[in-house]
Amino acid sequence: LDGSTSVSNALSVGHIWTNSGASGAQILASVSLMRTLGGSKTLQLGYDFVHQPVSISEGEHRVSMSLGTSDARWALYLYNTYMLDTGATSLIGDAQLSLAPRWRLGISASVQRYLDGSYNDIIFGLARNIGGRDVVLSYSTFNHRIMLDLEAARF
């Protein structure tokens, strides 16, 4: 691979205990390819083998793609996953704009489709950095609620 492309992999093995009888082995094996597209633009493609107890599984074969870019005042990020064996999908888009040195405005949209349901959400947020943490006032169109969060990190 060239200097703009990297490949990574990971393996995690564990056990899930639940009160609902869905206890069992959990395995996550991942491989991903990341490519810098110039400047701050990145593209990542991935494949995950996900084994979980049957009653909490949305499938075992997940492919993903993410694309991100940013500069000093703004950031855009798109993320998509698709379960090859069940059709469950997730699409998330996030945009941030710095309004002033410690203030930023954000919007995040998500579309989720699962075996037994789906939902769409748009979250509008206003953040202020205080002491290295972001205090975020936001509104969710899915929950129809105003939220106040203290975030340790941001993307």
Side-chain angles (χ1 to χ4, degrees):
L1 300 177
D2 61 20
S4 298
T5 307
S6 63
V7 175
S8 62
N9 59 53
L11 176 64
S12 174
V13 179
H15 190 88
I16 296 176
W17 287 271
T18 68
N19 293 332
S20 65
S23 298
Q26 178 184 26
I27 301 168
L28 174 61
S30 300
V31 63
S32 66
L33 178 124
M34 179 177 273
R35 175 140 179 102
T36 302
L37 302 175
S40 64
K41 297 177 213 66
T42 58
L43 172 67
Q44 184 168 351
L45 304 172
Y47 169 79
D48 302 316
F49 172 76
V50 183
H51 175 77
Q52 299 183 70
V54 172
S55 64
I56 61 172
S57 178
E58 284 286 335
E60 291 190 332
H61 303 280
R62 177 174 55 214
V63 291
S64 62
M65 184 218 48
S66 66
L67 181 63
T69 186
S70 65
D71 76 0
R73 289 201 24 116
W74 58 268
L76 295 172
Y77 180 74
L78 297 171
Y79 179 71
N80 178 250
T81 62
Y82 181 76
M83 298 301 284
L84 295 172
D85 43 350
T86 65
T89 189
S90 173
L91 176 62
I92 299 169
D94 187 55
Q96 304 286 328
L97 175 66
S98 292
L99 301 174
R102 294 181 172 253
W103 290 91
R104 72 182 158 85
L105 187 62
I107 183 170
S108 181
S110 64
V111 176
Q112 309 290 329
R113 301 285 181 260
Y114 301 105
L115 293 174
D116 59 354
S118 65
Y119 73 91
N120 302 332
D121 192 14
I122 299 174
I123 298 175
F124 302 93
L126 178 64
R128 167 84 160 104
N129 186 280
I130 299 173
R133 304 284 190 256
D134 285 347
V135 177
V136 183
L137 180 65
S138 57
Y139 175 77
S140 166
T141 61
F142 178 75
N143 293 323
H144 303 287
R145 292 195 176 144
I146 295 173
M147 300 166 282
L148 183 63
D149 295 307
L150 177 63
E151 297 180 356
R154 65 181 171 130
F155 301 96

